[in-house]
Amino acid sequence: MMIDWDVPIEMDDGIVLRADIYRPEKAGKYPVLISYGPYGKGLAFYDAHFKVVWDSLTEAYPEVASHSSNKYMAWELPDPERWTREGYICVRVDSRGSGRSPGVLDMFSPRQAQDFHDCIEWVGAQDWCTGDVGISGVSYYASTQWQVAALQPPSLKAMFAFEGASDFYRELARHGGILTTFWDNLLAQVENLQHGMGKRGLRSKVTGDLVSGPETLSPEELHANYRNIYKEFIERETEDEYYTARNPDWSKVTVPFVSATNIGGQALHQRGNIEAFANAASEEKYLEIHGGEHWTHFFTDYGFEMQKAFFDCYLKGDKEAWKNHPRVYLQVRKPDDTLFQRDEQEWPLARTDWTKFYIDAENMRLSTTPPTGEATVSYEGFGDGVTFLSDPFEETTEITGPSVAKVTVSSETEDADLFLVLRLFGPDMKECNFIGAADAATPLTHGWLRASHRKLDEEKSLPWRPFHSHDEIQKLTPGDPVDLDVEVWPTAIEVPKGYRIALSIQGKDYSSPAVKLMPKGVMPRISNNGVGFLTHQSGRDRPPEVFGKTVTLHTGHDGENAPHVMLPVIPAK
């Protein structure tokens, strides 16, 4: 292939971004796959802090490294050697303020979305481009796809968003209003690649150039050119314009796309992909739900072949390549962590039998019939909480889709954080855990809510997915019960006869009772808390004098509307 390094792309305010362009050796016009992000276009996947992931990924999935020299592989991006062979051009742009592109680094900002729009249009006008541009990438490179699609660049014809958030507040900053400390970890990686690190930074293993640009700026200059989003998250507990300005206008997202998500991606990106599929105005949109680890199937043959078929259709006009592809390509788990695939046409599934499992604090049970009497049970706010267990299932039952829990709580203080965990137990009462996007020991799913954030947006709420406005804080009166609707992120599991489900309600992150290691070579085990590094342990956000005191659950009142978790039971076809 032919490579053009550091190609300048001037923005409307005079800032010049830098792009690397990988083209097929044969001259001609080709469709383009573009990316725009902060991870340094010159940093190889197998280099520096990405190396441990590359080594584990290629050990577990040798096919990933078998199609090219891997010399030009980059973190969470398409392999240009493989794609240029298929008649595509790959363009990688260092986002403003990162890598070799100067300016202020302000992640996910409207300014960066506009830059991405302008880069797409610049690419579409080049004499080596057919005018058809697509986007493909993982995580950050997926999340920004929704933002730029809402700006409707004319050259953008298709997107493949692999595990990317779409709601800046609810998925990236605060789960149910509770701050996630994820960005405290990730930003160190981004800051090391800020433009201006210069000689203090890394060098490209391919070109020998400084990954973060030729300039070496002073610490003061670097600080002035950097907007710390984690600091903003800490200081902004409610959803304000800072967050909403980073969310897409779904009515303007009309481009064809595939939204690919991990069924074990609770707290990471799973909700974002599903909400994007549900809300975007695109008439040609597809949802793919897989298992495994966060990045794996983007790089395996499974993921590559799916992307190629999609882009061949929408960027090359090969309608046969994507012909009769299901609207929803669903993989459902079994307790042994294997998956089976099934084609569907919508989400949630139209045939769902929404089934209430009532919470019984007197007997610590989940039951499909309401309890006959009222009861309470208390737990310490930072303790292990309480668990309600169902009877053994009398027949194999599939639970696939989103859930909602309706609970009544009171607190010793003015607030309480609720961490809900849906769990699966075998006949031997051992818990079944699964390989998830970011953790080796994920339960079925999670839900979170800060009690003072209980206010609902009635227009956006659905029977199976409450939507909290997060625009005001409604403190509790100590000792007085309040009703809460808790969004529980989707799952997909086949529950065999004799197995039980359980709902745990606690005031801290889940912890698996049995430490489960990732299979050798898959990826480094981060923890056994179900969410990996996406925990909620900020002492500033969760002071113990407020969130560490006694919380009480009240059950059995209000008949058929008594506290319960409503689960998506799927009748057999």
Side-chain angles (χ1 to χ4, degrees):
M1 61 187 175
M2 298 186 292
I3 308 173
D4 299 306
W5 305 111
D6 268 357
V7 176
I9 307 177
E10 186 173 352
M11 299 294 100
D12 58 2
D13 62 352
I15 287 286
V16 176
L17 307 184
R18 296 290 174 173
D20 293 341
I21 301 172
Y22 303 82
R23 292 181 286 149
E25 188 174 14
K26 183 180 179 181
K29 290 179 176 288
Y30 298 93
V32 171
L33 298 181
I34 191 173
S35 65
Y36 173 98
Y39 297 138
K41 62 181 176 60
L43 188 62
F45 199 156
Y46 49 82
D47 194 12
H49 40 268
F50 301 137
K51 185 178 187 304
V52 66
V53 177
W54 173 255
D55 289 346
S56 59
L57 176 64
T58 53
E59 180 180 355
Y61 302 92
E63 66 189 74
V64 172
S66 68
H67 298 285
S68 73
S69 72
N70 306 304
K71 185 177 180 180
Y72 306 97
M73 288 284 276
W75 173 252
E76 299 187 331
L77 289 174
D79 178 0
E81 285 184 87
R82 197 171 186 187
W83 281 98
T84 52
R85 281 203 305 269
E86 301 294 342
Y88 288 87
I89 293 171
C90 291
V91 176
R92 295 174 178 168
V93 185
D94 276 339
S95 58
R96 180 183 294 244
S98 67
R100 295 178 68 84
S101 294
V104 174
L105 175 53
D106 189 3
M107 297 170 67
F108 298 105
S109 65
R111 174 69 257 184
Q112 291 214 339
Q114 185 61 49
D115 286 350
F116 198 4
H117 169 284
D118 294 349
C119 289
I120 290 170
E121 288 309 294
W122 180 89
V123 164
Q126 299 308 299
D127 58 9
W128 35 257
C129 178
T130 60
D132 298 316
V133 180
I135 315 174
S136 182
V138 186
S139 193
Y140 191 99
Y141 298 106
S143 302
T144 54
Q145 293 183 32
W146 317 119
Q147 293 178 302
V148 74
L151 301 181
Q152 299 186 331
S155 299
L156 180 61
K157 303 298 174 55
M159 306 188 304
F160 199 108
F162 193 97
E163 298 195 29
S166 63
D167 186 315
F168 205 70
Y169 182 93
R170 292 161 186 79
E171 295 152 13
L172 291 177
R174 291 177 170 270
H175 299 137
I178 307 169
L179 179 72
T180 171
T181 50
F182 166 63
W183 290 97
D184 195 27
N185 299 305
L186 183 67
L187 287 185
Q189 174 179 311
V190 175
E191 290 164 3
N192 286 334
L193 297 168
Q194 184 182 354
H195 179 80
M197 289 293 290
K199 294 179 181 178
R200 294 191 300 269
L202 302 167
R203 285 191 179 272
S204 168
K205 290 291 180 66
V206 177
T207 66
D209 290 332
L210 292 164
V211 170
S212 296
E215 295 181 276
T216 302
L217 301 180
S218 69
E220 293 76 18
E221 290 172 309
L222 288 172
H223 180 74
N225 285 341
Y226 178 58
R227 303 291 179 265
N228 187 316
I229 62 172
Y230 185 56
K231 182 174 181 290
E232 298 286 352
F233 295 167
I234 293 173
E235 296 175 350
R236 298 171 183 270
E237 183 179 342
T238 57
E239 187 177 35
D240 59 14
E241 187 177 355
Y242 176 84
Y243 295 108
T244 58
R246 287 160 166 76
N247 289 339
D249 179 344
W250 292 115
S251 68
K252 295 180 179 179
V253 178
T254 58
V255 64
F257 67 80
V258 175
S259 185
T261 193
N262 191 311
I263 196 58
Q266 292 89 11
L268 189 55
H269 296 312
Q270 183 223 65
R271 181 189 188 276
N273 284 103
I274 290 175
E275 288 290 304
F277 173 77
N279 295 320
S282 304
E283 294 184 2
E284 298 174 85
K285 55 183 179 178
Y286 302 87
L287 178 64
E288 185 271 348
I289 300 177
H290 55 266
E293 312 76 34
H294 169 47
W295 48 75
T296 297
H297 286 303
F298 180 81
F299 296 103
T300 61
D301 290 349
Y302 165 83
F304 176 82
E305 294 300 333
M306 183 174 291
Q307 291 177 71
K308 183 178 181 301
F310 175 72
F311 286 126
D312 281 356
C313 174
Y314 288 99
L315 297 184
K316 290 187 173 182
D318 182 1
K319 301 303 181 183
E320 292 296 315
W322 196 249
K323 185 178 180 180
N324 299 324
H325 197 280
R327 187 69 69 173
V328 177
Y329 192 88
L330 171 67
Q331 293 187 4
V332 180
R333 277 174 165 159
K334 292 187 175 184
D336 63 358
D337 214 358
T338 59
L339 301 105
F340 62 91
Q341 188 273 329
R342 190 174 66 238
D343 296 348
E344 298 288 351
Q345 293 302 317
E346 73 286 314
W347 185 275
L349 307 187
R351 65 184 184 281
T352 301
D353 179 10
W354 299 101
T355 304
K356 293 180 180 179
F357 284 77
Y358 291 93
I359 302 169
D360 181 355
E362 182 176 3
N363 301 298
M364 303 306 292
R365 295 179 62 242
L366 287 179
S367 174
T368 53
T369 57
T372 56
E374 297 184 13
T376 61
V377 64
S378 299
Y379 61 90
E380 291 306 306
F382 288 165
D384 292 328
V386 292
T387 297
F388 304 92
L389 189 68
S390 77
D391 291 333
F393 277 50
E394 296 180 356
E395 59 183 5
T396 297
T397 303
E398 182 182 329
I399 298 173
T400 293
S403 301
V404 57
K406 292 181 177 287
V407 298
T408 302
V409 304
S410 59
S411 173
E412 185 182 353
T413 72
E414 63 183 12
D415 215 339
D417 282 347
L418 272 67
F419 293 69
L420 273 61
V421 188
L422 190 66
R423 305 164 72 179
L424 179 67
F425 290 85
D428 58 1
M429 287 307 298
K430 290 184 178 179
E431 184 171 5
C432 301
N433 287 133
F434 307 92
I435 299 295
D439 200 279
T442 63
L444 292 181
T445 189
H446 302 256
W448 303 266
L449 184 64
R450 176 160 290 175
S452 61
H453 285 240
R454 62 191 178 276
K455 178 184 174 183
L456 291 172
D457 184 324
E458 300 293 348
E459 290 186 3
K460 294 182 178 180
S461 291
L462 299 167
W464 54 81
R465 199 271 288 125
F467 193 92
H468 296 89
S469 60
H470 296 295
D471 60 358
E472 65 175 298
I473 298 173
Q474 300 177 337
K475 295 293 187 181
L476 304 181
T477 299
D480 286 358
V482 295
D483 296 330
L484 309 177
D485 294 75
V486 184
E487 177 184 1
V488 180
W489 287 28
T491 190
I493 182 69
E494 183 181 81
V495 181
K497 178 181 178 180
Y499 281 64
R500 305 170 188 251
I501 59 168
L503 178 69
S504 293
I505 302 177
Q506 50 201 56
K508 65 175 185 178
D509 289 305
Y510 164 82
S511 179
S512 171
V515 175
K516 179 180 178 183
L517 297 179
M518 285 284 190
K520 183 180 178 182
V522 175
M523 77 180 217
R525 186 183 66 80
I526 299 170
S527 67
N528 63 319
N529 59 29
V531 294
F533 41 76
L534 291 101
T535 54
H536 310 79
Q537 300 174 349
S538 169
R540 179 172 173 181
D541 184 64
R542 307 187 65 226
E545 63 272 16
V546 176
F547 296 100
K549 302 298 182 180
T550 302
V551 177
T552 300
L553 300 173
H554 303 253
T555 70
H557 57 281
D558 209 16
E560 293 186 357
N561 292 319
H564 62 269
V565 57
M566 187 174 74
L567 300 180
V569 174
I570 308 300
K573 278 189 175 181

